[in-house]
Amino acid sequence: MTGQSVVIIGAGVVGAALADELSARGWTDVTVVDQGDVPATGGSSSHAPGLVFQINGSKTMTEMARYTVEKFVELDSFLQVGGLEVATTPERLAELRRRQGWAASWGVEARLLSPEECVAMHSLLDRDKVLGGLYIPTDGLAKAVKAVDAQLSRARERGVRVLPRHEVLDVRTEGGRVAAVVTGQGEIPADIVVCCAGIWGPRVARMVGMELPLTPLAHQLAWTGQVPDLAGQTVEASRPILRHQDADLYYRERFDTLGIGYYGHRPMPISSDDILSVDAAEVMPSVLTFTPDDFAGAWSETQSLLPSTRSAKVEEGINGLFSFTTDHLPLMGQSREVEGFWVAEAVWVTHSAGVGRAMAEWLVDGHCTSFDLHECDVNRFEPHQIAPDYVLARGCQNYVEVYDIIHPLQPMEHPRPLRTSPFHPRQQELGALFLEASGWERPQWYGANEPLLRGREIPAPGDWAARYWSPIVGAEAQATRESVAMYDMTALKRLEVSGPGAVAFLQRLTTGDVDKSVGSVTYCLLLDTDGGIRSDVTVARLGPQHFQVGANGNLDLDWLDRHRPADVYLRDITPGTCCVGVWGPKARELVQPLTTADLTALRYFRGTRAYIGNVPVTMLRLSYVGELGWEIYTTADLGLKLWDTLWGAGRDRLPGGVIAAGRGAFTSLRLEKGYRSFGTDMTFEHDPYEAGLGFAVKLDKGDFIGRDALLARKESVTRRLSCLLTDEVVMGREPVYDGDRAVGHVTSAAYGHTIGKAIAYAWLPASLATPGQTVHIGYFDRRVKAVVAEEPLFDPAMTRLRG
């Protein structure tokens, strides 16, 4: 088996890994091209300092880093000296405890060290500066160029061609798919082209009309002369690689000298079009001239933390180019516009072999089995998120924040606002605290609701969970259950599917039976061919050949579009529409006088078109807060009128009025009802039966994508998404322990303001997912007791929803 004809553009750590992984799977009709020499091509891999710290808040990124370490050790391209992150402030020490939790959640050995243990581990440290540290014994130094050489050598032995000094001039397409790569030394036919060009990625992608949200930025790396305490050292490194994130610094040994990396300087972006060619560059294209003034603060802080450097000097340095994206994550996947053009971009050495494996599985098998790639798919972005100004601004800000302590709810601050719903002016008048969702300004709570606090006991969470929180959140949640509230749901993705083939198309793509009467609404899942959950959606049948799909994001649009036949029309209607959720036991009292539609006759999971006052609307009787009510949609031009009509009726006709409520209350109420959130509670790696969503799968309806795989997975459930009750609010991604053994991790968490307990959903082994089972959640330096509970916690008989 030779596989399809593949051309990989770029022979750095990513391209080399992909060539190795593809050829190991039997695809040998592979050509790797690079404008530079091999294995030191002149890209970022050629100057990378090689520090590999595996721990990341993302499970996927941690797993790809772990695979990279394991592979590089096998290739004799890794010095496993360990990694040490030190804290010099109480805030950083708390962050290291959180990072240790991530390590336990993702299965990487890590332990917290006292100041004395840190100095014993790394003798250059000043004991008086250090409050503690986090040690990962499997971290270390990747020898990037050596790893490139080793992987390309293995690929060559299997028949892969490697062509250095082949500058890519164009990617030729025919009929909407790739046909060949045009180089300075001729044309290479290709069924598949994979762009692994790193800092040149945007330039190559534009050859097929694809915009990559990637910004090359210069990063300072300096080398000292001899450091006295390292004098006479004959091994390259004997101490752990070191991070001093409070000052944006990292360190590595090179025999008797020290390498110093610095993120604390001003962002220094450069366009990929302005990067010099291999022959024009003085050192290499990815290396720019060192700017000593930008490094002054780094050197001063280094001499403070590592006293032995006070008698050393900075002897050399570079401003080395690396790739940054708008969300810190790689860009992986196939172009929406050009079939066969794939990218594996914005990948650092740390994750390179993992990305190579993921891409090889994706290409050969049609999906990745080793890693959950929903965070990394290049098609995840909204249109505004690939605007050049946005890409530049976010890339630069992410550079500034690379070592910052980022709260899970912390929104980006610039550029904002970008997307505002028609309700935004009224929300501002009500004192909304806005966070950000896919560019939308979304209220978290409303200051105008402060009077609701009177007479209520709203428990305050701990310091970390209390950020981006107000007791008003609890009051809004309780008021929703008591009366009626309006929620801005505009940020949710809305797709229109229509045409003669619409029914057959949706039957094929979803797990539910959507071929029901007009007005029906069906909750169902999108699955991959391996049975993994790609999304959960609601499908409303608004006409014989007309459906509205409530989706989760741009990946859903991309998935549907890739499978869409010619007789189906697909349109993203989110920008031109808006949605308000009207929910609570008094919802019918509020809305019924405003419409001629009989809302009593509109049953749960049914929809209708109607008027509310003068506003034409689509009303779907759905509720993700577990109360009577509707998602009410209209066009953006009439959104403000819809809000004012509902608000005015609540003020004038409804005893106690109506409130506006924010996302904080929504999340609390959602978890009380046990409703899952894709991307948080379940992702590509989970199947419906593990996630507690087997009810959404209709195996008897006929064939659909993923059905065959589900028949096998249904009988082999080894883990379950479980509801836990605790006495303390956690935030998500914390480890769950059975005794001293980490057995799972938290997904969503919040306080249940109408059940009076903190709620955490977590993945647990099936053997522990039994109501009454006690486990513990690792939360910073504490173990929080948690008990597995029956779900849903609120209204299990569904009487409020169906009333």
Side-chain angles (χ1 to χ4, degrees):
M1 175 183 175
T2 60
Q4 297 190 68
S5 175
V6 181
V7 175
I8 299 170
I9 301 174
V13 282
V14 182
L18 178 56
D20 182 36
E21 297 282 346
L22 276 177
S23 58
R25 287 164 175 77
W27 279 28
T28 55
D29 188 1
V30 177
T31 303
V32 184
V33 299
D34 201 288
Q35 63 181 333
D37 296 309
V38 175
T41 64
S44 300
S45 303
S46 302
H47 76 259
L51 288 81
V52 174
F53 290 93
Q54 296 166 82
I55 303 305
N56 193 293
S58 163
K59 180 174 184 278
T60 297
M61 297 299 282
T62 299
E63 289 177 338
M64 290 197 292
R66 181 169 54 201
Y67 179 77
T68 301
V69 167
E70 292 168 353
K71 186 175 184 181
F72 282 16
V73 167
E74 175 198 344
L75 295 171
D76 191 27
S77 301
F78 197 78
L79 298 179
Q80 205 153 44
V81 293
L84 177 62
E85 304 177 22
V86 296
T88 60
T89 64
E91 294 79 11
R92 183 64 62 178
L93 188 60
E95 173 70 358
L96 293 186
R97 289 173 176 141
R98 185 167 73 118
R99 291 175 63 79
Q100 184 194 30
W102 293 343
S105 291
W106 316 145
V108 176
E109 181 186 353
R111 65 179 186 268
L112 286 167
L113 304 183
S114 68
E116 291 75 19
E117 289 173 316
C118 289
V119 175
M121 188 76 67
H122 201 296
S123 60
L124 301 188
L125 287 165
D126 183 344
R127 161 64 183 82
D128 294 335
K129 295 280 291 183
V130 177
L131 301 182
L134 179 66
Y135 176 62
I136 300 93
T138 52
D139 285 349
L141 288 167
K143 314 297 289 184
V145 173
K146 188 176 181 181
V148 168
D149 195 25
Q151 291 176 101
L152 288 180
S153 294
R154 297 203 309 193
R156 282 192 186 101
E157 290 173 0
R158 302 183 190 114
V160 171
R161 290 195 305 164
V162 180
L163 303 178
R165 290 289 174 168
H166 278 63
E167 182 181 2
V168 173
L169 305 178
D170 196 11
V171 177
R172 188 166 60 79
T173 62
E174 293 178 0
R177 65 163 300 117
V178 297
V181 172
V182 181
T183 78
Q185 298 192 44
E187 188 172 288
I188 306 168
D191 301 315
I192 294 171
V193 174
V194 187
C195 178
C196 304
I199 53 178
W200 290 279
R203 184 195 301 181
V204 174
R206 281 197 297 272
M207 293 175 183
V208 296
M210 184 180 185
E211 290 295 330
L212 283 185
L214 182 159
T215 301
L217 282 123
H219 165 61
Q220 291 201 302
L221 175 67
W223 294 96
T224 69
Q226 186 183 76
V227 175
D229 286 357
L230 299 179
Q233 182 167 298
T234 58
V235 295
E236 181 175 350
S238 62
R239 296 164 183 81
I241 56 174
L242 180 66
R243 274 208 286 213
H244 176 26
Q245 291 163 290
D246 284 320
D248 299 305
L249 286 161
Y250 63 79
Y251 305 94
R252 58 152 296 176
E253 297 172 27
R254 186 179 64 183
F255 299 100
D256 61 352
T257 68
L258 201 63
I260 307 169
Y262 187 42
Y263 288 103
H265 57 78
R266 62 191 169 92
M268 293 184 273
I270 183 173
S271 168
S272 62
D273 294 325
D274 296 332
I275 300 172
L276 295 176
S277 67
V278 172
D279 293 326
E282 184 176 345
V283 180
M284 64 180 77
S286 61
V287 169
L288 307 182
T289 302
F290 186 63
T291 50
D293 289 348
D294 291 304
F295 196 73
W299 184 231
S300 175
E301 183 62 32
T302 296
Q303 292 176 307
S304 175
L305 182 72
L306 310 174
S308 186
T309 61
R310 293 170 189 167
S311 55
K313 293 182 179 179
V314 174
E315 299 286 359
E316 57 180 307
I318 63 170
N319 287 4
L321 294 176
F322 289 100
S323 300
F324 278 77
T325 62
T326 59
D327 59 5
H328 286 297
L329 293 164
L331 309 173
M332 301 168 62
Q334 185 175 198
S335 163
R336 285 190 65 189
E337 291 78 24
V338 178
E339 187 177 352
F341 186 83
W342 294 70
V343 301
E345 290 290 351
V347 180
W348 292 6
V349 173
T350 298
H351 310 102
S352 58
V355 168
R357 178 174 182 169
M359 292 296 298
E361 291 177 351
W362 201 346
L363 288 165
V364 174
D365 302 327
H367 59 267
C368 176
T369 55
S370 295
F371 311 103
D372 165 30
L373 297 182
H374 86 276
E375 297 175 311
C376 305
D377 194 311
V378 69
N379 296 296
R380 65 190 180 267
F381 300 102
E382 294 291 323
H384 73 274
Q385 292 172 324
I386 57 174
D389 288 351
Y390 182 92
V391 172
L392 177 61
R394 292 309 308 157
C396 289
Q397 187 60 34
N398 285 342
Y399 184 90
V400 170
E401 294 176 349
V402 72
Y403 278 172
D404 284 4
I405 299 170
I406 304 295
H407 190 272
L409 294 179
Q410 184 171 326
M412 70 176 195
E413 297 299 333
H414 179 75
R416 284 179 68 193
L418 285 168
R419 309 173 84 180
T420 56
S421 81
F423 319 135
H424 190 253
R426 299 295 181 262
Q427 294 165 343
Q428 289 179 304
E429 292 167 5
L430 293 170
L433 184 283
F434 293 98
L435 299 185
E436 182 263 348
S438 299
W440 292 98
E441 295 295 311
R442 186 166 66 185
Q444 189 73 359
W445 70 81
Y446 292 87
N449 289 329
E450 187 170 3
L452 290 174
L453 292 171
R454 296 192 195 107
R456 300 180 190 272
E457 294 280 340
I458 307 296
D463 291 345
W464 183 246
R467 299 186 190 186
Y468 304 99
W469 177 88
S470 165
I472 295 172
V473 167
E476 291 177 356
Q478 292 177 0
T480 303
R481 297 244 188 264
E482 296 161 359
S483 181
V484 61
M486 293 165 53
Y487 288 82
D488 183 356
M489 305 300 289
T490 302
L492 296 181
K493 189 73 138 181
R494 293 172 292 284
L495 307 175
E496 183 180 77
V497 177
S498 61
V503 174
F505 170 64
L506 290 171
Q507 289 287 78
R508 171 71 176 150
L509 267 290
T510 71
T511 61
D513 184 1
V514 303
D515 191 7
K516 296 184 285 195
S517 61
V518 172
S520 65
V521 183
T522 307
Y523 175 80
C524 43
L525 307 170
L526 304 180
L527 303 181
D528 211 327
T529 53
D530 66 345
I533 301 171
R534 291 195 61 95
S535 189
D536 63 336
V537 297
T538 54
V539 180
R541 191 169 197 174
L542 304 181
Q545 300 176 351
H546 181 200
F547 295 83
Q548 179 173 304
V549 177
N552 282 293
N554 235 42
L555 286 185
D556 297 347
L557 174 63
D558 178 64
W559 182 253
L560 294 175
D561 197 36
R562 289 187 188 281
H563 292 85
R564 178 179 58 85
D567 61 350
V568 172
Y569 309 102
L570 176 65
R571 187 164 66 102
D572 182 359
I573 61 172
T574 313
T577 56
C578 58
C579 178
V580 59
V582 180
W583 294 311
K586 296 182 180 178
R588 193 176 284 121
E589 293 178 49
L590 172 66
V591 181
Q592 184 63 83
L594 303 175
T595 181
T596 57
D598 183 356
L599 299 184
T600 302
L602 187 64
R603 302 188 310 278
Y604 187 50
F605 267 81
R606 296 290 297 180
T608 189
R609 285 172 164 163
Y611 286 89
I612 291 180
N614 296 314
V615 180
V617 297
T618 297
M619 302 179 69
L620 305 183
R621 190 168 168 190
L622 307 175
S623 172
Y624 277 83
V625 303
E627 294 290 341
L628 170 68
W630 309 269
E631 294 177 358
I632 304 176
Y633 300 87
T634 192
T635 52
D637 59 322
L638 289 168
L640 189 58
K641 183 63 176 176
L642 173 63
W643 181 282
D644 288 344
T645 301
L646 292 165
W647 190 263
R651 179 191 60 213
D652 298 338
R653 304 176 191 169
L654 191 67
V658 62
I659 68 162
R663 189 70 177 184
F666 178 93
T667 299
S668 171
L669 299 172
R670 172 180 77 80
L671 292 181
E672 289 183 342
K673 281 299 294 179
Y675 293 143
R676 279 68 167 136
S677 174
F678 178 80
T680 303
D681 296 316
M682 69 278 189
T683 63
F684 292 1
E685 66 177 303
H686 305 114
D687 71 47
Y689 305 110
E690 299 171 326
L693 297 174
F695 68 88
V697 179
K698 306 304 179 187
L699 291 172
D700 58 353
K701 73 160 185 171
D703 193 26
F704 56 86
I705 293 175
R707 183 182 183 277
D708 291 344
L710 281 190
L711 293 175
R713 294 180 72 154
K714 183 179 181 181
E715 305 305 323
S716 57
V717 173
T718 59
R719 59 184 173 182
R720 293 192 186 277
L721 184 63
S722 305
C723 178
L724 306 179
L725 289 177
T726 76
D727 291 323
E728 183 170 358
V729 177
V730 298
M731 295 297 297
R733 302 187 180 183
E734 296 88 0
V736 180
Y737 292 92
D738 177 32
D740 293 330
R741 182 172 61 107
V743 294
H745 68 276
V746 174
T747 58
S748 296
Y751 192 80
H753 291 283
T754 58
I755 66 165
K757 294 284 284 185
I759 307 166
Y761 271 78
W763 283 100
L764 296 178
S767 60
L768 296 177
T770 305
Q773 174 72 47
T774 297
V775 292
H776 289 81
I777 298 171
Y779 191 55
F780 292 96
D781 58 346
R782 302 186 302 285
R783 295 286 178 92
V784 178
K785 180 181 176 181
V787 178
V788 179
E790 292 273 9
E791 54 176 327
L793 300 168
F794 180 82
D795 188 28
M798 305 282 279
T799 56
R800 296 173 75 103
L801 278 169
R802 300 182 187 278

